[in-house]
Amino acid sequence: MLNQGFDDCPTVSSAFKLIDAFEGLLERDSLPSDLSRNQAELMAQYAEDLREVASLFHRERVRSAEGFYLEREGPPLYDNMPPVAGSLYWVRGLLERVSSPMAKFRGSMRQLIDADESAEVLAQHDGLMQLLTEYESTTFDAWAGGLEETSAAKLRQPLLVRDETSRLLSVNFDPELVRLLREAFYLQQISEREIPAAAAQLSKQREPFRVLRGNLQLIAGKYNQMHLTILDVERPLLERELRAIDNLLEQGLTHLTWKSVDVQTFVKQALHDVSATHGRLSV
């Protein structure tokens, strides 16, 4: 049964699961010779798996990923995961694939590891582990290095922007900030390293920013709808209200930023005024 089980195991990890299942029987005198042969085959299979992981790493780490970030070059991502967190999650899977079998070898198969025949496999393992951990560290450090400067610059941008041609409004929440928020959120879940203080602070604002962006989108949407649908005969009737709204929204177009302390007061007043005028126009 043990020999048949080894023949049927498709992966190194499944072979170790089989060994764990027979752990209580492996000390029997009738098993050591067969077990030794299977263990040697398992080591050869592991060496092949190391070569496959190395090939996978070199091939996939610069391939264009599918998902929300098609513009970047890098390893494949799970849907919704941002580039840095996705890359670290990907390389963490490769590290686990490489290190877990070696931990088993060094635990229950120490004699096999100490054999001269295993020296090449050990060197291959150590070199690949160094390559993967260096990639993990370099990727994280590159992201963390420019984070504080980038986030500070983006948070100093005004809340709203106006199209010079159409005069319509849009919310000015930079896509880079969206990405930083997503990176910080995922890295807090999967990374063993502490994220920078700027990223941690930004992550705490994730929900307030979501609510703020939603309210600003509501303001911009109603404002734009009024300007797109108002008739020439209706404009004089609402001219005073529209002028007052434009004067109020000028704060969000010029000096109010995502870090301003009085943003909530502005949003509350703007939402009230725009909604009231929008309601009158829609009647």
Side-chain angles (χ1 to χ4, degrees), residues 57 91 95 98 122-138:
F57 172 74
V91 78
L95 283 166
V98 170
L122 287 173
Q124 190 177 354
H125 162 270
D126 294 343
L128 185 54
M129 286 292 293
Q130 181 178 357
L131 186 66
L132 296 177
T133 52
E134 285 179 356
Y135 175 84
E136 183 180 36
S137 179
T138 301

Side-chain angles (χ1 to χ4, degrees), residues 84 88 134-148 150 176 179-180 187 193 196:
V84 175
L88 295 180
E134 285 179 356
Y135 175 84
E136 183 180 36
S137 179
T138 301
T139 301
F140 185 92
D141 291 341
W143 171 76
L147 181 145
E148 185 171 356
T150 300
E176 188 65 24
R179 175 172 161 173
L180 287 176
L187 287 174
R193 303 176 64 177

